[in-house]
Amino acid sequence: MPHLFLNEKSCETTADPDRVNRAMTELVRTIIAVARVDRPGTVLVARDPVNALRLAEDHPIAKWIGTPGAKELWQRLLLMQTKYPHEDAYPDGETFSDVAYSHDGVPVTGLGAAHLMGGAGVSLKLDPRWDTDRVTLQREELLDEEADGSALSEVHIPHAATREHVETHLPWIREEVQAALKNDLSGIRTGAELWERCPDLFPNLRFLPHVEAQIRELKQYWVHPVRKRLAEMDHAVEVWDAASEPEGPLWGSTVTPEHGARKREYCLFTDLDGTDQYFDTHLRFTPGAGRLHFRFLQVDRRAHVAHIGNKLGI
């Protein structure tokens, strides 16, 4: 299961103490419901340490811990994997400083991190906005220097504030668990090993000839991020439904296009059929400025990979 990111905005309201305590009890039970399906993969990521959380104005978490029945839930929460702040869940070397998210015009760090990392948001149900299994965010990304300004888009993330919300996500959670088991690549430590296993591990991907050398010569600290991204891409193609996703698969990580001069100067490659094509769609792997450029062929249900390495032009 992807990480669960606590929506800090749901903890910044003023509410009756009993309502706050009930909402926190339900939230912990919601998190536990996810953990029952994927115990090793469920991680709660918050802005602050869980023992320092404020659930509402003038309502530290200690007030909830002292309520009847909360102690056992609190102990179970402490036994779970947790991270803080939100940025601690990012890959090493990545800051995503060029991307910002908002909801109804208000910045939302936790929910934005959930989208960046392919995770889910979780909230205290103290406002009707958070009584939903899916949240819509506004995303703003600074463009490269050649493309002036920023790109605005609307994105959606899975979300839960109650156990009923979790029910709607169970197929997705189970699918993620099976994908993690299928794509256990922990034994691969070098780029050469990764390349040799590419045909078996990533049957829905094809690589331009020069990409073999790029993969074989990967720096060791890049092997894991690259194999993770390739596994996500392959899975996305495998489960792609053209009817519900007409623009292409949901890639599992943030995917952006190159613009203007950078696209024309750096993104034209000779594809496997001998035609020149723009591979201007790319995703990131870290640490550093790692980029993976590809194009998706809907008719063939395959993704062709043209570049794995540093940002083009560097």
Side-chain angles (χ1 to χ4, degrees):
M1 171 69 184
H3 292 352
L4 304 177
F5 289 82
L6 179 61
N7 171 21
E8 74 282 357
K9 294 304 176 182
S10 72
C11 304
E12 296 178 359
T13 187
T14 300
D16 176 82
D18 288 340
R19 277 191 66 219
V20 176
N21 290 331
R22 287 195 299 271
M24 183 59 182
T25 294
E26 180 59 28
L27 177 58
V28 176
R29 286 175 174 163
T30 297
I31 296 168
I32 291 171
V34 175
R36 287 196 185 102
V37 184
D38 185 13
R39 182 175 181 83
T42 302
V43 180
L44 176 64
V45 188
R47 180 176 59 184
D48 304 302
V50 291
N51 60 359
L53 289 177
R54 301 191 70 82
L55 309 182
E57 294 292 335
D58 300 319
H59 200 117
I61 196 171
K63 287 188 177 182
W64 168 75
I65 297 171
T67 61
K71 186 174 181 180
E72 180 181 352
L73 292 173
W74 170 240
Q75 290 173 338
R76 295 187 68 176
L77 188 63
L78 288 178
L79 291 173
M80 288 183 53
Q81 298 182 71
T82 59
K83 293 183 179 181
Y84 73 92
H86 299 124
E87 293 79 7
D88 194 51
Y90 294 165
D92 291 341
E94 185 59 88
T95 63
F96 295 110
S97 58
D98 56 347
V99 185
Y101 292 85
S102 62
H103 181 271
D104 290 342
V106 178
V108 282
T109 304
L111 297 180
H115 182 259
L116 288 168
M117 300 307 297
V122 292
S123 300
L124 289 167
K125 198 182 75 169
L126 294 173
D127 186 299
R129 292 178 298 169
W130 313 128
D131 187 8
T132 177
D133 60 13
R134 189 161 292 270
V135 174
T136 300
L137 307 177
Q138 291 71 50
R139 170 187 163 101
E140 182 177 7
E141 180 176 14
L142 296 177
L143 301 177
D144 291 322
E145 293 179 1
E146 293 83 355
D148 189 27
S150 59
L152 301 175
S153 60
E154 193 173 83
V155 299
H156 311 277
I157 62 166
H159 176 268
T162 68
R163 285 165 287 178
E164 287 75 15
H165 297 153
V166 173
E167 289 291 326
T168 67
H169 300 310
L170 287 179
W172 172 55
I173 298 171
R174 293 186 179 115
E175 186 178 274
E176 291 288 332
V177 172
Q178 292 303 313
L181 293 173
K182 177 182 176 182
N183 296 315
D184 181 9
L185 310 180
S186 58
I188 298 176
R189 300 185 180 278
T190 69
E193 292 173 340
L194 180 60
W195 174 255
E196 295 300 329
R197 295 189 60 185
C198 276
D200 296 328
L201 292 171
F202 316 123
N204 300 296
L205 308 183
R206 297 292 183 270
F207 302 89
L208 272 58
H210 63 268
V211 177
E212 175 180 353
Q214 293 178 337
I215 294 178
R216 287 185 176 277
E217 297 169 9
L218 282 174
K219 302 169 185 176
Q220 188 171 9
Y221 59 81
W222 268 0
V223 173
H224 175 70
V226 169
R227 74 194 184 201
K228 183 176 186 293
R229 288 289 180 259
L230 293 176
E232 290 171 348
M233 289 178 64
D234 186 80
H235 177 67
V237 175
E238 182 178 341
V239 302
W240 175 58
D241 178 19
S244 61
E245 301 167 4
E247 296 183 0
L250 301 176
W251 295 108
S253 61
T254 302
V255 174
T256 54
E258 291 283 9
H259 296 273
R262 283 193 57 79
K263 173 180 176 178
R264 294 189 296 271
E265 185 172 358
Y266 298 116
C267 300
L268 189 64
F269 293 88
T270 302
D271 208 345
L272 297 174
D273 62 359
T275 63
D276 290 338
Q277 303 286 346
Y278 282 108
F279 288 74
D280 54 306
T281 303
H282 70 276
L283 51 80
R284 303 182 182 198
F285 62 88
T286 52
R291 298 291 190 273
L292 191 156
H293 281 254
F294 68 97
R295 61 187 291 258
F296 178 60
L297 288 71
Q298 291 197 4
V299 175
D300 298 333
R301 292 185 66 94
R302 288 175 182 159
H304 288 191
V305 180
H307 175 78
I308 300 177
N310 285 312
K311 181 177 179 179
L312 290 170
I314 293 180

